[in-house]
Structures are given as structure tokens and as C-alpha cells.
Amino acid sequence: VHHLTMPSVGAVVNYLLAAVNVSRPVRLRGTPIDNDMAALCEMLEECGIEIHYDTEGEISIASHGYDTESTHVIECPPDRNVAMTWLAYGAVSEGLTINGMPIDMLKAGIDIYRQIGCQIVIIDDLRLRISKGTVPIENITVVAAGLNADFHSDWLPQLEVVAAIRGLTMTCYDMLFSQRVRQAEILAEMGADVTISGGLLPDGLAPFWGEDP
């Protein structure tokens, strides 16, 4: 059982991305109780994932392996954060088509996911298809993210999860939020090999690895 220190929709999205791909049942407590969470869990059920979301903010997943049908299409609003979330899910799936987001607004994300071996096909100006493809021979080692960077800090936690699932070695620099280590804590509990250096440890967080970064 894992616990969120604060009810964040974004944190739950990243957790579910990782939880679907672990080899044991998992539970997350302290999630937000709202329509966004219910809609996300419903979408995962449609994709064949055994998931339960209760009214007290606990999510449990009993299956593992995110395997989307080749014909599955996500209708995405013109929002880069939403589109980048679906890119991350597609990066660990057998195939996901994302429709509705201008492709030129996703260039930074497309470039990064191609670097880590994902197969991305641009269908037209508003549609692309992404699948996990193959793991590259050389791992990507540095990703810089920040408020003014092309690859925004908000998307870095998703990339960290994808890297953990795909077994990549990745060094991530977050120039904006030191509190991203909250996610690293849970990734470490779930079996990822995580090392943190620099930045500030959020108040009240006891590091899984036993020492302050």
C-alpha cells in the first residue's frame, strides 16, 4: 500500500502509469475524490486493466501490463499537459492513437520519446500514434526541464515513470520544482533504482533510501 502526502491528480496519473506495469497488486491511498479520477479509472478499465476506485480515495490495481488495442483512439483536448500524459501512457503500450492536439505543440515530447525508443507515427496535423517500440541501444542520460524549457517540468515525472518501466538509465534535471522527489520516493518503494542529488528535500518526507539527498 502506498500513500500520497497530498491529493494530487497529476501524482495519481503518474502512479497509475507505474502501477499498471508492476508484477503484483498495488493500492494507493490519499487520492483526490473527483470526476477526473473516476474518468481516468474508467478509461483504464476500458483498456483491460482491473482497477477499483472507491469513494474514500483509495485505488487498487490487480492486473499488470498496459496493452492497448491497436484501434484505440484517445480524443484529446487542445491541452499540452493532457496530451503529454497520453504520450507517456502510449510509451508503455502496444499502441495508442491521440487525436485533437496540434502536433507542432508536442515537438519536444515527441523528440524525447523517440530518443528512448518509442515508435511515433504522425498521421496528420492533429493525430499521432505512439507505441513502446524497442529499448534503444544507448540510454538517454540527461533531460533538462524548467519553466521556460521546451520540455516542461510538469512532464518530467511522467518521463521518470516511463524510464523506470522501460529499464532505462536516465539523469533528470528539474530546474523548477524540488518537490518532484515525492514521486521518486514511491518509485523507489515500487522497486526502481533511484538516486537524488541537489535540491531540497520537502518537509516531512522520510527518504526511502535512508539518507537525505
Side-chain angles (χ1 to χ4, degrees), residues 127-178:
R127 265 189 312 166
L128 64 78
R129 178 173 173 75
I130 179 171
S131 60
K132 60 186 179 184
T134 59
V135 177
I137 297 176
E138 295 184 1
N139 292 321
I140 183 171
T141 57
V142 177
V143 175
L147 186 62
N148 297 319
D150 291 335
F151 194 86
H152 194 277
S153 178
D154 286 349
W155 311 329
L156 189 57
Q158 299 164 354
L159 189 60
E160 293 169 0
V161 174
V162 171
I165 292 170
R166 295 174 65 92
L168 298 173
T169 299
M170 182 179 295
T171 302
C172 300
Y173 291 95
D174 192 326
M175 307 301 184
L176 189 59
F177 296 117
S178 61

Side-chain angles (χ1 to χ4, degrees), residues 20-86:
V20 165
N21 288 274
V22 299
S23 58
R24 65 184 185 278
V26 293
R27 285 185 295 167
L28 179 66
R29 291 176 177 167
T31 70
I33 303 173
D34 59 20
N35 292 335
D36 288 339
M37 285 294 91
L40 177 62
C41 292
E42 182 179 348
M43 184 282 299
L44 288 174
E45 284 183 320
E46 292 176 357
C47 293
I49 302 302
E50 297 176 26
I51 187 170
H52 176 70
Y53 171 61
D54 65 27
T55 56
E56 296 183 356
E58 178 170 306
I59 295 177
S60 59
I61 296 178
S63 63
H64 60 91
Y66 184 76
D67 186 7
T68 309
E69 296 179 0
S70 60
T71 57
H72 201 85
V73 178
I74 296 296
E75 297 297 333
C76 180
D79 182 299
R80 287 205 302 170
N81 286 339
V82 175
M84 290 298 296
T85 298
W86 288 123

Side-chain angles (χ1 to χ4, degrees), residues 113-129:
Y113 282 108
R114 279 177 169 162
Q115 286 183 51
I116 63 173
C118 296
Q119 182 177 4
I120 300 178
V121 177
I122 307 299
I123 301 171
D124 56 37
D125 291 344
L126 293 174
R127 265 189 312 166
L128 64 78
R129 178 173 173 75

